[in-house]
Amino acid sequence: MAFLLKSAHIVDPALGLDGVADVLIEGDRIAEVGPDLAAEGAEIIDLTGKYLVPGLVDMHVHLRDPGQEYKEDIESGTRAAAKGGFTGVCAMPNTDPVTDTGAIVQYVKTRAAEVGHCRVYPSGAMTRGLKGEALSEMGDMVARGAVAFTDDGHGIQDAGMVRTCMDYGKMFGKVFMSHCQDNSLVGEGQVNEGVVSTRLGMLGWPAEGEEVQIARDIQIARLTGARLHIQHITTARGLALVRAAKDEGLDVTCEATPHHLFLTEDAIDDTYPTVMKVNPPLRTAEDARALALGVADGTVDAIVTDHAPHAAWEKAREFAFAPFGMTGLETSLALMITHLVKPGVIGYGRLVELMSIAPRRILGVEEVRIEAGATADLTVFDPELAWTVGADGYESKSDNCGFDGESLTGRATDVFVGGMRTLAGGSVC
Amino acid sequence: MAFNHKHLIDITEYSDADIMTILETAKAFSQVNERAIKKVPTLKGKTIVNMFNEPSTRTRSSFELAEKRLSADTMNFGGSSTSTVKGESLIDTVMTLDAYKIDCIVVRDKHAGAPYMVSQASPAAVIDAGDGKHQHPTQALLDLYSIWERKGGFEGLRVGIVGDIGHSRVCGSLVPALKIMGAEVTLVGPGTLMPARPDVLGADHVSAHLDDVLPDLDVVYMLRVQMERLEGAPFPSIREYHDLYGLTRRREHLMRPDAIICHPGPINRGVEFDSYMADHPERSVILDQVYAGICVRMAALYLLLGGADNGLSA
C-alpha cells in the first residue's frame, strides 16, 4: 500500500522542517519527502491547509484492560487515541491483575496487535501489586516489551523502596515514572487544599503532598543514577524542583496534562462536579499559569492525558465515592492548539516536541523523523477545524471528559501507524 | 419581602432578609410551642422523609418534632440499615423514595454535597440537615435565633467561635450566616483544628489564643470537640485542650458582663467548658438553642413547603 500525501505543512523540529511538501509512504516507511512528488498507484490524499507531524505519543494512558473492560478496553482506548491523533500510547499498569509480570505485559502487547488502532507501549509496575512493598519482575517485563516502570496511581511511600526499585531496575535502562503523593499529607484528600476544600467542606489534597515526593524522588534519582520522570506535575513549586534538577544536570523529566493546564480548582463549584475529580487534583490558577510557562520554557517535557475512563454510574455518586480521573485522548491535541498555540504561547514545533519527540525519547521507543526511510507513524491535523467536544460523541467507552461542550479549534484528521491508516478524514479505521 | 427558595442547602444563597423572614416566622411558631396543644394543621397532607444516612439523635428528633407539630406525615429512612449498605447508590435511593410522591426530604449525610445530589434527583424540597464537613444550615439558623433573642440584632456583634472549626459543618453555615447578618467573626483554635482558608468561610479574624480575644466577644460559641472525627490527634490531650480553650470559671473575668455562651451540643463537660459555665444562668443559652431548633425548623419547613395557611391563628 502506498499513500502520496500532497501539500501538507510539515513540522518536524528534529529536522528543522517547517514548510509545505509532499510525503510518499510505501509499505511501513516514508519513501520520499519533497516538493511535487508523484507515484504511480499510490492513493493520493490532498492535505492542503493541514499539518503533518511525527506521530503523537501519549505516554500516560489508562486502557483498563485487563480487568476493567466496562470502563475501557484496548480496542476502545486505542480508537480514542486514533481519534485524538495519536500513533501510540503508554499503558499504565494499574490493571486487574496489575501489570507486574511479563505475562500481563505480553497480554497487553498481543491484544493491542490484534485489535489496536495505535501502538501500545506497556509500562510495568515498579512494585508487586502496586503495593509499594516488594520489587516486581522488571526483567521479565522488559523482556516482554515493557518500556517504563511506574506505580502510577500511588506514590511509593517508603523512600528506601524507591531506592531499591531504581538501584535494581536501572540495569534495564528504562525510565522510572513517579506518581508523587505522600499519603501522610494527602490522606483521603478529595480536592486541592485551600479555597475549594474549605468552601465545599471536603478533605484537602495539599500541593505539598505532591511536592515532597517530587523532591524526594529527585534526591533518590541522584543517589542511584536512575532516569526519573515526574508524572502529571501540577504545582508551581513542583515545577521549580524539576527545573533545578535539570539545571543540575540530572536525568529528570516531567509531564503535564491538559486538564491541569486548562482547568483549575474553580471548576469545582457547589454542584460537586465529580467529572472534575482527578488525582492529583485541579490546582489554583497560579499553578496552571506556572505550568503553561513551564510548557513554553521547556521545563515540562511532555504533554500527556492521564486518560482515565470511568463508567457513568461510578461518577454519578457522592464526590467522596466517585473515582479520580477524566478522559483526555480525544481532546488533548485540540486543547493544546486552542489554548497554547493559537494564543502564541508556543509554536507548532514546540507542540511536536511536547507530544511526539519528547515522549518517544523518554520512553525509549522509536523516534520518527519526517524523512525517507523513517517508520511512517504520522499525524495529520487541521489547525482551523472548529468543533465542540462531545457533540459527535466519544470513541472511548466512557464520557467523563472535563471539557465536554467546550468549543475548540484544531483536530486530527488522518493518522498513519507503520504506513497503515488508522484515522481517515476524521473517522477511525 | 418574598421568600423565594425551594431548598435549604446552602446558607450563602440566602439574603439577610431571607434569614430574618425565617427568624421572624420561627418567633411566630414559638407561640405554638408554648401552647397546651402544640400542633397546627399547617402541613397536613404533606409527606416529609427524614433521610438520615449517618447517626443523629438531636437533629433528627428536632426535625421530627417540628414536622409533627406542623401535622406533616413523616417517615424516617436511613440509619445503619440504609440501602447504601446493600449497594444502592444515593441517587437510586432518592428516586425510590420519590416514587412514594413525597414533598420534602431532610438529608443528613456524612458526605459533603449529598443534599445537592438529592435535590437533583428529586423534585421534592430538600433541607440539608448536615452534610459531611460542609454545611448545617438549620443549626446556623437556630444559633442566629438564639443570639437574636438575647442580643436583638447582629450588626457589629462580635462573635467568637472556639474549637474544631476545620471539621465543623456547623461553621460551614454559621460563619457565612453571621457575615450575611453583619456580625464580626473571630475563629479561635489551634492550627490543627483550622480549615485551610478561614477567610473563605468569611472569618474576620483568626486566633490561637482564647484569652486574647475573650474580652472583645459578645457571643462565645463553643464547638464540640468531635472525638469521633479527630484523626491523627490534633492536640496532645484533653487536659491541654481544656487548659488552652476550655471556657472555665477562672476565665469569666475576661468576659464582657453581657457576653453569652452558645454550643451546638452535645456538650462535653470538662472539655469545652466546666459545669459552672455550661450551666451559667445568665450567660449560657445552650438549652435555648435546643428549643430554637424546633421553632426554626418549623419555620423553614413552613416557608419551603409554602403552606397557604400558617395555622398561627388557629
Side-chain angles (χ1 to χ4, degrees):
Chain A
M1 193 74 198
F3 295 99
L4 180 55
L5 313 183
K6 297 292 289 181
S7 308
H9 186 129
I10 298 171
V11 175
D12 184 352
L15 296 175
L17 288 182
D18 187 359
V20 176
D22 298 347
V23 173
L24 176 64
I25 300 172
E26 283 178 357
D28 63 347
R29 306 251 153 206
I30 295 173
E32 200 176 353
V33 179
D36 303 321
L37 298 184
E40 194 117 340
E43 181 180 340
I44 295 172
I45 303 170
D46 180 17
L47 297 181
T48 306
K50 293 176 181 161
Y51 278 70
L52 187 154
V53 302
L56 307 184
V57 170
D58 184 344
M59 61 183 289
H60 193 143
V61 168
H62 297 272
L63 294 177
R64 307 294 191 207
D65 187 351
Q68 295 183 307
E69 296 86 353
Y70 68 97
K71 297 173 192 262
E72 195 81 284
D73 58 26
I74 289 171
E75 202 274 336
S76 65
T78 56
R79 281 188 78 87
K83 183 80 174 178
F86 294 98
T87 62
V89 297
C90 179
M92 293 297 110
N94 63 336
T95 47
D96 183 14
V98 169
T99 308
D100 59 1
T101 62
I104 308 295
V105 171
Q106 177 124 35
Y107 163 78
V108 173
K109 295 272 299 182
T110 304
R111 187 73 186 147
E114 288 167 1
V115 301
H117 299 268
C118 72
R119 298 183 195 275
V120 175
Y121 310 110
S123 63
M126 283 168 72
T127 70
R128 207 172 295 168
L130 303 173
K131 290 192 168 74
E133 294 164 356
L135 289 171
S136 60
E137 293 183 347
M138 296 185 196
D140 186 30
M141 289 192 284
V142 170
R144 313 291 184 102
V147 299
F149 302 116
T150 178
D151 270 11
D152 180 49
H154 307 270
I156 295 175
Q157 298 306 301
D158 188 275
M161 189 70 235
V162 176
R163 179 185 185 175
T164 301
C165 288
M166 289 185 171
D167 264 338
Y168 176 79
K170 66 188 178 190
M171 68 172 133
F172 305 112
K174 305 298 182 191
V175 67
F176 293 89
M177 308 197 294
S178 285
H179 171 116
C180 294
Q181 174 175 337
D182 184 314
N183 287 346
S184 68
L185 290 171
V186 174
E188 297 297 312
Q190 301 288 310
V191 296
N192 186 39
E193 181 166 318
V195 173
V196 174
S197 67
T198 302
R199 184 164 49 77
L200 297 181
M202 289 196 284
L203 291 169
W205 195 138
E208 288 74 7
E210 180 176 342
E211 292 153 359
V212 296
Q213 282 210 349
I214 294 174
R216 179 199 72 178
D217 287 359
I218 288 170
Q219 307 301 323
I220 300 173
R222 183 193 298 108
L223 177 65
T224 60
R227 291 171 56 209
L228 172 66
H229 177 74
I230 304 296
Q231 295 181 296
H232 42 47
I233 198 164
T234 67
T235 80
R237 289 183 302 270
L239 210 53
L241 291 166
V242 171
R243 196 174 280 128
K246 289 182 171 195
D247 289 346
E248 188 188 330
L250 299 177
D251 196 348
V252 175
T253 53
C254 73
E255 64 185 32
T257 73
H259 54 268
H260 290 115
L261 279 162
F262 310 127
L263 293 170
T264 69
E265 60 172 356
D266 302 327
I268 303 169
D269 61 14
D270 296 355
T271 67
Y272 292 82
T274 55
V275 70
M276 300 298 175
K277 178 175 173 179
V278 290
N279 188 17
L282 300 179
R283 301 288 188 193
T284 66
E286 292 74 42
D287 287 316
R289 271 195 291 277
L291 285 188
L293 288 175
V295 167
D297 74 14
T299 310
V300 173
D301 296 274
I303 295 299
V304 304
T305 63
D306 194 4
H307 179 80
H310 292 292
W313 60 267
E314 294 175 297
K315 282 287 195 179
R317 303 200 64 190
E318 294 89 327
F319 202 94
F321 287 147
F324 289 101
M326 66 171 72
T327 59
L329 282 167
E330 296 172 62
T331 49
S332 179
L333 174 63
L335 286 162
M336 291 296 290
I337 292 172
T338 304
H339 294 302
L340 290 183
V341 178
K342 293 284 181 190
V345 178
I346 61 172
Y348 284 109
R350 177 75 188 126
L351 181 74
V352 171
E353 287 175 1
L354 289 158
M355 297 188 72
S356 177
I357 295 174
R360 289 172 182 277
R361 187 184 64 241
I362 295 164
L363 294 176
V365 302
E366 187 180 14
E367 298 190 27
V368 170
R369 306 275 178 259
I370 304 202
E371 62 186 353
T375 294
D377 281 11
L378 302 170
T379 299
V380 177
F381 60 87
D382 180 343
E384 305 304 332
L385 200 155
W387 62 292
T388 302
V389 178
D392 52 358
Y394 298 100
E395 295 294 340
S396 170
K397 281 189 184 180
S398 298
D399 59 3
N400 55 308
C401 175
F403 298 94
D404 192 75
E406 189 166 319
S407 298
L408 299 178
T409 305
R411 197 173 193 183
T413 59
D414 298 87
V415 176
F416 298 86
V417 177
M420 304 260 289
R421 218 168 172 191
T422 56
L423 186 74
S427 296
V428 179
C429 39
Chain B
M1 175 156 298
F3 183 87
N4 190 24
H5 291 279
K6 180 167 182 202
H7 307 297
L8 176 53
I9 294 176
D10 181 355
I11 199 73
T12 65
E13 290 175 356
Y14 280 60
S15 67
D16 55 347
D18 293 332
I19 289 173
M20 276 320 296
T21 300
I22 295 174
L23 300 188
E24 279 160 4
T25 308
K27 182 102 179 155
F29 276 118
S30 171
Q31 296 163 20
V32 173
N33 292 315
E34 301 291 349
R35 293 178 194 165
I37 307 295
K38 301 176 179 61
K39 203 174 183 86
V40 287
T42 313
L43 296 185
K44 203 169 171 61
K46 299 279 187 187
T47 306
I48 302 173
V49 175
N50 297 312
M51 190 169 85
F52 279 63
N53 300 327
E54 78 169 2
S56 161
T57 309
R58 349 185 115 227
T59 303
R60 197 181 66 187
S61 52
S62 179
F63 266 106
E64 263 190 80
L65 214 47
E67 291 155 5
K68 285 177 173 150
R69 288 182 180 177
L70 292 170
S71 305
D73 295 317
T74 73
M75 182 177 87
N76 290 330
F77 185 92
S80 56
S81 65
T82 52
S83 313
T84 320
V85 177
K86 299 174 185 168
E88 188 175 57
S89 76
L90 180 63
I91 287 175
D92 285 320
T93 303
V94 170
M95 293 201 303
T96 302
L97 288 173
D98 207 54
Y100 298 150
K101 305 300 172 197
I102 57 174
D103 301 292
C104 178
I105 307 178
V106 177
V107 187
R108 160 67 66 91
D109 200 289
K110 67 174 174 230
H111 298 293
Y116 176 80
M117 280 186 80
V118 173
S119 75
Q120 295 304 105
S122 164
V126 174
I127 298 180
D128 180 356
D131 64 322
K133 300 188 301 162
H134 181 221
Q135 291 215 22
H136 192 354
T138 59
Q139 176 70 46
L141 289 167
L142 72 87
D143 296 333
L144 292 186
Y145 184 89
S146 306
I147 294 169
W148 180 54
E149 285 243 288
R150 287 293 292 265
K151 296 293 178 185
F154 300 98
E155 195 60 47
L157 201 69
R158 287 166 297 185
V159 180
I161 304 177
V162 184
D164 189 3
I165 322 282
H167 299 87
S168 169
R169 54 182 161 224
V170 174
C171 281
S173 291
L174 180 59
V175 177
L178 285 165
K179 292 311 298 173
I180 290 166
M181 302 311 291
E184 184 178 328
V185 180
T186 303
L187 303 181
V188 185
T192 44
L193 296 181
M194 280 292 159
R197 290 286 298 272
D199 59 306
V200 170
L201 290 178
D204 299 287
H205 317 286
V206 175
S207 173
H209 306 286
L210 179 59
D211 290 346
D212 291 354
V213 302
L214 210 44
D216 296 323
L217 301 178
D218 299 305
V219 177
V220 187
Y221 193 109
M222 305 302 292
L223 286 169
R224 195 167 81 85
V225 173
Q226 302 180 80
M227 313 287 189
E228 72 274 18
R229 283 176 197 273
L230 300 178
E231 287 153 26
F235 47 83
S237 63
I238 292 292
R239 178 171 172 270
E240 181 156 318
Y241 182 86
H242 185 65
D243 190 44
L244 290 171
Y245 300 106
L247 198 56
T248 55
R249 186 170 197 165
R250 74 174 173 82
R251 285 201 158 99
E252 191 180 17
H253 73 280
L254 294 170
M255 294 175 74
R256 292 170 59 92
D258 58 351
I260 60 169
I261 302 166
C262 300
H263 191 291
I267 66 172
N268 297 311
R269 290 175 192 266
V271 183
E272 296 102 52
F273 25 49
D274 57 13
S275 285
Y276 171 83
M277 295 299 250
D279 300 329
H280 200 294
E282 283 83 39
R283 296 186 186 280
S284 173
V285 301
I286 297 170
L287 294 176
D288 301 322
Q289 289 172 272
V290 177
Y291 176 65
I294 302 276
C295 303
V296 157
R297 289 177 178 121
M298 287 172 79
L301 287 163
Y302 163 72
L303 290 166
L304 292 173
L305 296 181
D309 172 14
N310 66 14
L312 291 172
S313 55

